[in-house]
Amino acid sequence: MARGTGEDGPHPVDRHVGRRVCEKRISLGYNQSDLGRALGLTFQQIQKYEKGANRISASKLWDISRFFKVDVSYFFQGLGAVQPGMAEGDADAFDHDFPSTRHTIEIGRLAPQLSNRQQKLALELIREMADRPAE
């Protein structure tokens, strides 16, 4: 059975690193084929990396970081946060299951440029469109 297809799915670290690769790739305007060509891989392999279905080797992660001009640690940022079961009580685990698209990345990049009032209005609009009540 291929890794990442069983009951447990991909390891959370593999999913996190893959998501960070995807987010950085999209934010820099590259598609999966562009990154694949730069690394000597197919776009299908990049897809598997980004989903966490295939683990990224240390040497490939090094190559990816050099292509994106970021430190390798970039791909692990946000991962070392508190997780349930690690002596902190009932804290919520970091949610990795949101889709990264060009749109979600652009929304995240533009939101800090809005005033607090505009951010609140945008959040209310998105919540209403997603049919989600305020938390």
Side-chain angles (χ1 to χ4, degrees), residues 24 32 39-40 58 62 86 88 102 107 125 127:
K24 190 64 172 176
Q32 291 174 332
L39 301 174
W62 175 262
M86 303 293 276
E88 76 296 330
R102 294 184 192 280
I107 289 168
L125 175 65
R127 281 183 179 149

Side-chain angles (χ1 to χ4, degrees), residues 49-74:
Y49 283 166
E50 291 181 355
K51 291 179 182 177
N54 284 2
R55 290 185 173 136
I56 303 173
S57 70
S59 60
K60 278 300 177 208
L61 193 58
W62 175 262
D63 292 341
I64 293 168
S65 70
R66 293 186 67 193
F67 180 75
F68 289 153
K69 296 180 173 73
V70 296
D71 191 70
V72 173
S73 65
Y74 167 85

Side-chain angles (χ1 to χ4, degrees), residues 29-109:
Y30 294 110
N31 62 38
Q32 291 174 332
S33 294
D34 296 332
L35 180 56
R37 274 192 297 279
L39 301 174
L41 301 169
T42 65
F43 79 89
Q44 293 96 333
Q45 185 63 45
I46 300 301
Q47 282 179 331
K48 290 177 182 180
Y49 283 166
E50 291 181 355
K51 291 179 182 177
N54 284 2
R55 290 185 173 136
I56 303 173
S57 70
S59 60
K60 278 300 177 208
L61 193 58
W62 175 262
D63 292 341
I64 293 168
S65 70
R66 293 186 67 193
F67 180 75
F68 289 153
K69 296 180 173 73
V70 296
D71 191 70
V72 173
S73 65
Y74 167 85
F75 301 106
F76 297 94
Q77 289 174 358
L79 185 64
V82 174
Q83 296 180 2
M86 303 293 276
E88 76 296 330
D90 295 328
D92 291 333
F94 185 74
D95 181 10
H96 295 274
D97 291 329
F98 63 90
S100 291
T101 66
R102 294 184 192 280
H103 304 296
T104 59
I105 291 170
E106 187 171 0
I107 289 168
R109 191 171 44 234

Side-chain angles (χ1 to χ4, degrees), residues 3-14:
R3 214 190 76 63
T5 59
E7 276 183 36
D8 297 331
H11 190 279
V13 173
D14 296 325

